[in-house]
Amino acid sequence: MKIPLKGSMFLSNPWFVYSSMALFILVFTFPGLYPIITPGLDASYVLAFNHLAAYDFGAFRDIIFTFGPLGFLKYPLPIGNNLEIGIIWLIIIRLAFIGMILYTGHLLGKNRWYVFLLALVFTNIMHYDQNIYGIILFSLILHKLSGKHAFLATAFILSIIGLFIKINLGFIGFLFCASYVIFDLYIHKNYKKTLVIVALSLLAFILIFAALLGNPFGIFQYYANLYPLVTGNSSALSVYPDNNWIYMIFLFLIFLAMPLIDRNKDLYFLLIIVALAMFAVFKYSFARQENVHARHMLDFLILFVLVLMVFP
């Protein structure tokens, strides 16, 4: 009787293999962090919300800004425990992003080394926002594939957390989630399920708001005050540059031509849940069009290509 070696037993276990792959990718693609306090316009508000998060968290109840009370998670500084918490959070979201790419490929029967290579390359070139968008998007895909409600809950909860980090993170996340819920309602006509999802999402939002800011009854006033700031900030900082509309139209035609070239139901599904988010990112990116904001659209398209290579 041939006794299998212990090493081969581990290698035959997909959970061991994918966990090892995820840890390898996490370590070798972990971004450089430069948590220093510097002068400047942007640096001043980064310092402010790091200081308040560490020493006066309750002050966020009276502050209306595009960054929320968890803004320090995106730009942690060595103030209080912010840097340590920020690094732990970054490890969690990058590991979740990698894990979801690998798990999606596993469920679809993709070659594990092909999916590993995709995860390695794309994780290395994607920044913070795209990690969060990717987790939300892959969570919705995994819910469709497996029917496990934990994935749907992950998408909504991370969108809510994103809203308290920076308004655009939560807004794009909710566009993904809303598009998915509408698609699911159209396909299954289950109005009760949709109402339950909406109700639980609102409840989760209120509970997280109350946990962070302590007063759930102030939620409507808080966002009523935030709305004119967000819309006014977008208009005030937009430069409305001249664009080459030939290239722009060509971009949209390529996007719209995909379902005509490949009549794949999974592709239709993907285009439906990303369309609104893609338009919002396009507007956010091209209204300013300097290097930092213009990159948002490029990074979103890179994320879209990744999902295309893994999912349909």
Side-chain angles (χ1 to χ4, degrees), residues 74 93 97 100 126-141 155 158-159 162 166-177 273-274 277-278 280-281 284 295-297 299-301 303-304 306-307:
K74 184 170 183 178
I93 63 171
F97 177 69
M100 287 192 172
M126 286 186 178
H127 64 72
Y128 188 94
D129 291 9
Q130 266 50 52
N131 288 160
I132 291 180
Y133 297 155
I135 295 170
I136 295 169
L137 191 52
F138 276 108
S139 293
L140 297 172
I141 291 171
L158 188 56
S159 297
K166 192 178 181 185
I167 190 74
N168 68 296
L169 289 177
F171 182 69
I172 298 300
F174 279 119
L175 287 179
F176 282 139
C177 293
I273 64 173
V274 304
M278 183 175 287
V281 172
Y284 175 78
R295 184 182 167 180
H296 280 270
M297 185 63 188
D299 287 338
F300 191 92
L301 290 174
L303 174 63
F304 181 65
L306 168 64
V307 179

Side-chain angles (χ1 to χ4, degrees), residues 145-164:
L145 292 174
S146 68
K148 295 179 180 178
H149 297 311
F151 291 118
L152 188 60
T154 298
F156 275 95
I157 291 173
L158 188 56
S159 297
I160 294 169
I161 293 173
L163 198 63
F164 291 107

